[in-house]
Every structure is written in structure tokens, then in C-alpha cells.
């Protein structure tokens, strides 16, 4: 017990900070429960007020890992295996490239270009109603590779899987398949952080443990909200979240 208290005391959070962090995590996982992505977009701006980015990213990866499997388990029968098998190899290639670029290149310009691309697509999708209802299967290659690349570089590649899957599948299979993809992506990133020794730090693990109830509450609310949405409303909501992601990325570039 003393080890637990000592580990948490290293964060030096006051009651107000704990409340803000807990609410930020709950809100982030409401979004995750609805759309299957977006935790860094929602929780990041709140958590950055209390802890360094180097701790935020592995913390959210750990929570995303648990949440993604929590989303996947009750809906695994809805997973569209052909789409999953198309995207997985491409995602693996993208993740590998992302890790290489992360270690060797400056990614600020890529961050700006990604934000501009996301905003352009989202505005087009919200503004133009007459567009093809379904993407061709060949789009799984660029969407998978770029989604894996951006996921490894910025922790935000899920929007591309959402764009592709929502154009090809009904709502429930799209969500289930995206949960499977996010699960695989978090396994890769979790493994990299573990190899780097990030999770050898007890305070970080204890913080994740303390935030599990907030994550579970947000996930529970998000799932129930998603069940009440029609496919059209669901896709439109996801598109708004994609637009918010793009604006946040452009803002991150400008602030840097």
C-alpha cells in the first residue's frame, strides 16, 4: 500500500488536477466509444497542463489498448474479416515507416500537411452530399499505409480507417473492424514503448490504473450513445471529429 501511495505522490497532483484529468479521460473515451478513435485529440490538451507529452502518449496508448479490446470483445462477430485482412498488412508497413521517420526525420511539416489534408477531406464530406457511396477496395492500400504511418508518428491514424470503413460497411461492422485495427495498432506501439523501458516506471502504471474507472465510464457512455445513432448520423459525427482532428494538428504545428 505504501508503495502505491509513494508512486502516486510522485505526480504531485492536487484535487483539482485529479478532477480535470479524470474528466478529460472520461470525455476522451466517450468519443472513443462512439467513433473508435480520438482520445489524444480530446485528452491531450487537458493532460498537457499537468504532465509532459512524453508521459501522455504512452499513458493514452496503454488506456487505448485496454479500451480497444473492450470495444472489440462484445462486437467481434461483426468484424469484417476481408476488410481487416486488406488493411492489416498495409497498416503494419505504415507503422514500420512511421517508426523509422520518427527516429530519423523532423515531422513538423508532415504534421501540417496531414492536418490540411484531413480538414480538406472533412469539409468536402460535410459540404458535398453527392459523392460516391463506396470506396473501391484498392483504397485499403493507401489508407492502411498512411493510417499506420500517422498512427506511429502522431498517435492519430484512426480517422483514415474510419473514412475507408464507413464508406464500405454498415455502422456496426465498421466500428467492430476499426476496433480490431486499433487493437493491432496499439499492440505495436505498446510493444515499442515497453522495449524502450517506458512502462518500467511504476508511477505511470499506477496513474493508468487510477484512470481505468474514468476510462470505463466514458467507454460505457460512448457505446450507448453510438447504439442510438443512425448510420448517417454516425458517419456525420465521425466526420466532424475528423475535422476537429485536422484543426488540432494544424494548431499543434503552429504552436510548435
Amino acid at each position: 500500500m505504501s508503495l502505491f501511495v509513494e508512486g502516486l505522490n510522485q505526480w504531485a497532483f492536487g484535487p483539482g488536477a485529479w478532477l480535470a484529468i479524470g474528466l478529460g479521460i472520461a470525455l476522451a473515451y466517450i468519443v472513443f466509444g462512439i467513433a473508435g478513435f480520438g482520445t489524444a485529440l480530446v485528452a491531450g490538451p487537458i493532460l498537457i497542463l499537468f504532465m509532459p507529452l512524453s508521459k501522455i502518449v504512452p499513458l493514452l496508448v496503454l488506456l487505448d489498448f485496454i479500451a480497444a479490446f473492450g470495444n472489440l470483445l462484445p462486437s467481434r462477430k461483426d468484424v469484417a474479416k476481408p476488410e481487416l485482412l486488406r488493411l492489416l498488412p498495409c497498416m503494419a508497413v505504415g507503422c514500420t515507416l512511421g517508426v523509422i521517420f520518427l527516429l530519423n526525420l523532423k515531422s513538423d511539416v508532415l504534421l501540417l500537411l496531414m492536418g490540411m489534408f484531413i480538414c480538406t477531406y472533412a469539409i468536402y464530406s460535410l459540404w458535398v452530399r453527392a459523392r460516391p457511396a463506396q470506396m473501391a477496395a484498392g483504397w485499403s492500400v493507401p489508407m492502411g499505409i498512411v493510417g499506420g504511418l500517422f498512427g506511429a508518428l502522431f498517435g492519430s491514424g484512426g480517422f483514415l480507417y474510419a473514412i475507408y470503413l464507413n464508406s464500405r460497411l454498415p455502422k456496426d461492422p465498421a466500428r467492430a473492424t476499426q476496433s480490431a485495427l486499433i487493437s493491432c495498432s496499439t499492440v505495436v506501439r505498446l510493444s515499442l514503448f515497453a522495449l524502450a523501458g517506458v512502462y518500467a516506471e511504476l508511477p505511470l502504471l499506477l496513474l493508468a490504473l487510477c484512470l481505468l474507472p474514468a476510462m470505463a465510464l466514458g467507454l460505457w457512455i460512448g457505446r450507448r450513445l453510438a447504439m442510438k445513432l443512425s448510420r448517417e448520423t454516425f458517419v456525420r459525427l465521425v466526420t466532424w471529429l475528423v475535422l476537429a482532428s485536422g484543426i488540432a494538428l494544424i494548431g499543434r504545428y503552429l504552436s510548435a
Side-chain angles (χ1 to χ4, degrees):
M1 184 65 180
S2 61
L3 187 63
F4 182 85
V5 174
E6 183 181 345
L8 286 182
N9 284 340
Q10 292 189 33
W11 291 107
F13 296 149
W18 276 110
L19 179 60
I21 292 169
L23 289 175
I25 291 294
L27 182 59
Y29 284 95
I30 289 174
V31 172
F32 189 92
I34 294 172
F37 68 96
T39 52
L41 166 69
V42 178
I46 298 173
L47 297 182
I48 198 69
L49 299 174
F50 306 102
M51 53 195 300
L53 187 62
S54 60
K55 305 297 181 185
I56 294 172
V57 174
L59 173 67
L60 291 178
V61 166
L62 188 58
L63 293 175
D64 280 355
F65 174 76
I66 299 169
F69 277 100
N71 264 358
L72 177 61
L73 289 176
S75 61
R76 60 189 181 278
K77 293 181 180 178
D78 292 327
V79 173
K81 292 181 181 178
E83 297 294 352
L84 184 64
L85 293 175
R86 285 192 190 103
L87 287 165
L88 272 178
C90 302
M91 184 195 72
V93 171
C95 283
T96 304
L97 292 174
V99 171
I100 293 172
F101 290 159
L102 187 64
L103 295 175
N104 295 284
L105 298 176
K106 292 184 177 180
S107 56
D108 51 347
V109 176
L110 188 58
L111 184 71
L112 175 63
L113 292 176
M114 183 180 77
M116 293 173 63
F117 165 75
I118 296 170
C119 289
T120 301
Y121 172 84
I123 292 171
Y124 170 80
S125 298
L126 291 168
W127 186 265
V128 180
R129 296 298 183 88
R131 58 183 185 274
Q134 187 178 63
M135 284 186 173
W139 277 99
S140 62
V141 176
M143 290 298 198
I145 292 175
V146 180
L149 175 69
F150 288 169
L153 279 173
F154 311 116
S156 55
F159 69 93
L160 285 170
Y161 309 141
I163 291 170
Y164 174 78
L165 292 171
N166 284 325
S167 78
R168 291 184 58 81
L169 298 170
K171 182 180 74 171
D172 290 339
R175 290 184 72 246
T177 307
Q178 180 160 327
S179 293
L181 282 166
I182 297 297
S183 298
C184 295
S185 175
T186 53
V187 166
V188 174
R189 287 181 288 159
L190 194 72
S191 300
L192 291 171
F193 282 130
L195 289 172
V198 174
Y199 297 123
E201 299 179 18
L202 181 62
L204 184 64
L205 297 177
L206 292 177
L207 179 60
L209 183 64
C210 290
L211 293 175
L212 281 179
M215 182 208 76
L217 176 63
L219 208 56
W220 182 82
I221 295 172
R223 285 177 188 164
R224 272 142 190 81
L225 290 175
M227 289 170 61
K228 296 179 180 180
L229 299 175
S230 67
R231 185 184 186 281
E232 291 72 21
T233 304
F234 174 77
V235 172
R236 195 165 183 82
L237 177 59
V238 169
T239 305
W240 277 108
L241 291 173
V242 167
L243 177 60
S245 298
I247 294 172
L249 290 171
I250 293 173
R252 191 189 302 178
Y253 169 81
L254 295 175
S255 65

